[in-house]
Amino acid sequence: MKIVYVVYGYTNPGGTERVLATKANYFAEKGHQVSIVSLKKETENPFFSFSPLISFYNLDIPTSDKKYKQVFIDKVTELFKQIQPDIALTMGFGLTIYLSEVKDKSKKIFEYHFSKYKRKFELAAFDKYAMGRFLTDMYSLKRNKVVRKYDCFVVLTDEDKQSWRNIPNIEVIANPRAFVPSNYSELTTKRAIAVGRHTYQKGFESLIDIWSDITTKYPDWKLVIFGSGKKKERLEKQIKSLGITGAVELLPPTQNVEEEYKNSSVYVMTSKYEGLPLVLMEAMSCGLPAVSYACKCGPGEIITDEEDGFLVKPGDKKAFIEKLSLLFENRELQKRMGQLAAENMQRYNVEDIMPLWIKLFEKLHSA
């Protein structure tokens, strides 16, 4: 089967890029003809490894601005005459949403790597009420029209599927974890870890505030945050102003993140919204108990509350500190949760998740 991903880019060290590499590599190694089409002209080597069996194409479109819609459609149409894909996928909103308007014989799939409300995550609270659902449906009207144009719209969690409600072509397929560790953290290092871009979404300002209180009570515990982004300087200033430069460290993205998880003892997440956070899945795979805000969507499906980690109401810093304190002061609880975390993450094995994609492709292709 000929499978094509049409994406904005594939070289960055983000979760979406990591998932793309995992899935594309799997399909290629199973004998499928896989291509990745990038909107922008890539000038750097990919952060994650891609199989040499995969073909890459760059459309060299300057931005994802809507004014390039027809340019995008024309270039993809011409390229698809060459590739002749059976399945074509896009992974998010932006210019690539117009993939559905490319007229060829391929089946089109929109796979979404965030949750419905994304930056407008506060709107999720309105879904509890009939009038609120009407208002949120009006807010999402344009996006609903976009995803209905595809042969299939794939989201990552049942929680997010419920938010989209009356989308007839919706399916749920979780992301697979990117690796299976051969051993786990011994949970002996007094170090908490977080991984993610320095952006509004990740809420690291909240995490640093929390650590300012943590370090007064547990001065021997350190926090490391791996990532990069536009807000790094602001986060550095915050750390300095709180006087915790010795307790919090901002480090660049690493290709050896598995070892960094294993050198830590707890994973912390203060995101404002997610899709299905791969870093949380990875950390727990390495035997780390986790404390996370229960944001939309993903943490509530990955963490089994009070079994392999703790879920905290978003923004409740006091409760977050209390859950961390429980882990810091109870070694047996930390070990038990870490062991269960490693066991529970097995449900995200590539061997269990990826056949769901193959089944979907075959169903669409034969329709």
Side-chain angles (χ1 to χ4, degrees), residues 42-177:
E42 302 288 2
T43 57
E44 299 178 359
N45 291 325
F47 188 82
F48 301 109
S49 297
F50 287 88
S51 168
L53 299 172
I54 298 171
S55 299
F56 292 90
Y57 302 88
N58 293 319
L59 298 181
D60 197 12
I61 296 176
T63 73
S64 193
D65 193 285
K66 186 179 178 180
K67 68 182 180 181
Y68 289 101
K69 172 184 175 180
Q70 196 57 50
V71 175
F72 169 80
I73 293 172
D74 291 344
K75 286 194 173 189
V76 174
T77 299
E78 194 61 31
L79 182 59
F80 277 17
K81 289 178 182 178
Q82 174 188 337
I83 301 174
Q84 296 187 339
D86 300 302
I87 301 290
L89 307 96
T90 183
M91 302 179 77
F93 287 94
L95 199 58
T96 59
I97 64 171
Y98 300 113
L99 178 63
S100 63
E101 298 187 29
V102 173
K103 305 303 180 185
D104 72 319
K105 294 181 179 180
S106 67
K107 298 296 183 180
K108 310 294 194 303
I109 300 174
F110 189 122
E111 56 172 285
Y112 193 43
H113 286 262
F114 287 101
S115 51
K116 178 181 178 180
Y117 298 115
K118 201 176 174 182
R119 290 182 69 91
K120 301 293 184 181
F121 56 90
E122 298 95 340
L123 290 175
F126 290 97
D127 279 346
K128 299 176 184 177
Y129 315 102
M131 180 56 71
R133 288 191 292 273
F134 172 77
L135 294 173
T136 56
D137 284 343
M138 292 303 294
Y139 165 77
S140 304
L141 187 62
K142 189 176 293 185
R143 289 190 296 167
N144 287 354
K145 288 181 178 179
V146 167
V147 301
R148 285 172 182 267
K149 292 180 180 179
Y150 283 81
D151 294 291
C152 189
F153 174 50
V154 179
V155 296
L156 301 176
T157 64
D158 289 315
E159 181 184 17
D160 197 34
K161 180 183 178 180
Q162 292 172 11
S163 295
W164 288 93
R165 288 190 289 280
N166 300 318
I167 303 295
N169 57 334
I170 195 168
E171 297 280 351
V172 178
I173 303 179
N175 283 332
R177 57 180 178 171

Side-chain angles (χ1 to χ4, degrees), residues 11 13 18 45-49 179 226 252-260:
T11 60
R18 183 158 200 153
N45 291 325
F47 188 82
F48 301 109
S49 297
F179 60 82
F226 286 89
T254 174
Q255 292 181 320
N256 198 24
V257 71
E258 180 179 348
E259 291 306 309
E260 298 298 344

Side-chain angles (χ1 to χ4, degrees), residues 31 34 126 132 152 208 212 214 242 248 268 285 300 308-309 325 327 333 366:
V34 180
F126 290 97
C152 189
I208 291 168
S212 177
I214 283 289
L242 290 171
V248 181
V268 284
S285 294
D308 52 22
S325 298
L327 290 171
L333 175 66
S366 62

